[in-house]
Amino acid sequence: MLAAEAGAAPNTIAAYASDLRLASEALDGRLAGAGAAEVERLGNGWRDLARATVARKAAALRRFYAFLADEGHRTDDPGAALPRPGARRPLPKVLSHQDVDRLFAAIAERQARVPPDPNDLRLAALVELLYGSGLRATELVSLQRNAIQPDRPYIILKGKGGRERLAPISDRARAAAAAWRAHVASDRAWLFPSGKGHLSRVRLYQLIKALAADAGIPPDRVSPHVLRHAFATHLLEGGADLRALQAMLGHADIATTEIYTHVDSKRLIDLVNTRHPLVDAVPRRQ
């Protein structure tokens, strides 16, 4: 149902599957027939988990019980007994412009090695696309070999929920992708191949962590998603429109994009202090 009707992404389906299996084990295999009291006890067992984890687990089970009720497998819905932790969206981790410069300096240093390593070209293309276009990790590693064309400054991506969007590709990113693609066999389907498939998200994560260490940045501060956050934050600092940013990031809800207005508070304060119509007004003496 999640795949066919809701258009959920594979990662979402995998997360739901994991949460439901764990819940089933906790209920001795009686997940589908559990009563409200059992479900409530299950939720109480999550008390020490992070708020976001509890919210995700509860959402998966509520969706499951609603499905059973809709399909006529149950006459009741015990999902109401599950906890509902308040929605508190944490501020995303971001990198400064100086941090990003250090990452690219580390890449340039790698590319200057003799003999050159083609994998350094791959790393350059990966980072250019993460920071220069704000791609999600899954979108990046699953790019088709010819997805990025030298004469087209955008690509069409299918993101979460099967929603399509146009992602801008900078001249730098197109050049980096082209330099790497020259080392990818023409019969390979993926731009970043690995084995019989494409580069995994886990391997991408490892590559970015190693690059951060080379650049002298604590690896726990850098990840593919942090580079996506940096893309969004730095665009907003440069004056990007929030709606345009929403479209580039592929957010279904503008509220998701608005988190970056909290990160970029300094620019907003400067905006009020320089653009408000009363800034230049001289107060009258009483």
Side-chain angles (χ1 to χ4, degrees):
M1 182 278 289
L2 287 174
E5 296 180 18
N11 291 338
T12 300
I13 295 173
Y16 270 60
S18 176
D19 286 334
L20 293 178
R21 288 192 190 100
L22 290 173
S24 181
E25 291 172 6
L27 293 171
D28 298 323
R30 294 178 291 101
L31 179 63
E38 294 174 289
V39 171
E40 184 176 8
R41 283 196 297 274
L42 176 66
N44 289 337
W46 301 335
R47 194 174 293 120
D48 295 332
L49 299 178
R51 183 190 301 260
T53 302
V54 174
R56 190 199 70 231
K57 286 178 174 292
L61 264 68
R62 274 196 293 272
R63 191 74 175 265
F64 176 65
Y65 287 122
F67 169 79
L68 293 179
D70 290 344
E71 295 294 315
H73 299 298
R74 292 189 63 134
T75 57
D76 65 329
D77 184 350
L82 291 163
R84 290 181 177 273
R88 185 177 66 186
R89 193 185 300 272
L91 294 178
K93 294 180 181 178
V94 295
L95 296 174
S96 68
H97 291 275
Q98 292 75 20
D99 289 332
V100 174
D101 289 342
R102 289 162 69 185
L103 290 176
F104 281 110
I107 291 175
E109 185 175 335
R110 287 187 178 203
Q111 291 178 317
R113 293 172 182 170
V114 178
D117 185 347
N119 285 331
D120 292 332
L121 295 176
R122 180 183 67 175
L123 181 62
L126 290 168
V127 176
E128 287 283 1
L129 289 166
L130 283 169
Y131 176 67
S133 299
L135 302 190
R136 296 183 176 96
T138 299
E139 295 168 343
L140 175 61
V141 297
S142 60
L143 284 174
Q144 296 289 318
R145 184 183 184 278
N146 296 315
I148 300 173
Q149 297 296 322
D151 60 342
R152 193 173 64 192
Y154 64 88
I155 54 175
I156 299 175
L157 295 171
K158 183 171 287 188
K160 291 184 177 181
R163 293 183 295 272
E164 289 188 343
R165 78 177 192 277
L166 289 179
I169 306 295
S170 67
D171 293 342
R172 280 181 50 146
R174 292 204 305 275
W180 162 244
R181 188 171 54 238
H183 293 269
V184 179
S186 59
D187 61 346
R188 300 304 297 266
W190 313 104
L191 179 59
F192 302 106
S194 179
K196 295 182 178 179
H198 57 67
L199 189 72
S200 69
R201 292 190 307 151
V202 172
R203 183 57 182 146
L204 173 64
Y205 187 90
Q206 293 169 341
L207 292 171
I208 298 302
K209 294 288 184 184
L211 175 63
D214 283 353
I217 303 172
D220 61 352
R221 289 186 52 218
V222 188
S223 70
H225 209 63
V226 168
L227 285 171
R228 174 174 156 88
H229 288 321
F231 161 82
T233 305
H234 296 169
L235 270 181
L236 199 61
E237 287 176 356
D241 175 77
L242 201 60
R243 286 290 182 184
L245 189 59
Q246 177 192 6
M248 285 186 280
L249 291 171
H251 290 161
D253 189 345
I254 189 68
T256 306
T257 317
E258 285 174 345
I259 191 69
Y260 295 106
T261 63
H262 299 288
V263 176
D264 190 27
S265 58
K266 179 180 182 299
R267 189 184 74 88
L268 298 179
I269 293 170
D270 290 343
L271 192 64
V272 170
N273 288 335
T274 58
R275 300 294 182 85
H276 194 279
L278 294 181
V279 169
D280 297 326
V282 178
R284 294 182 180 180
R285 190 180 301 274
Q286 298 296 320

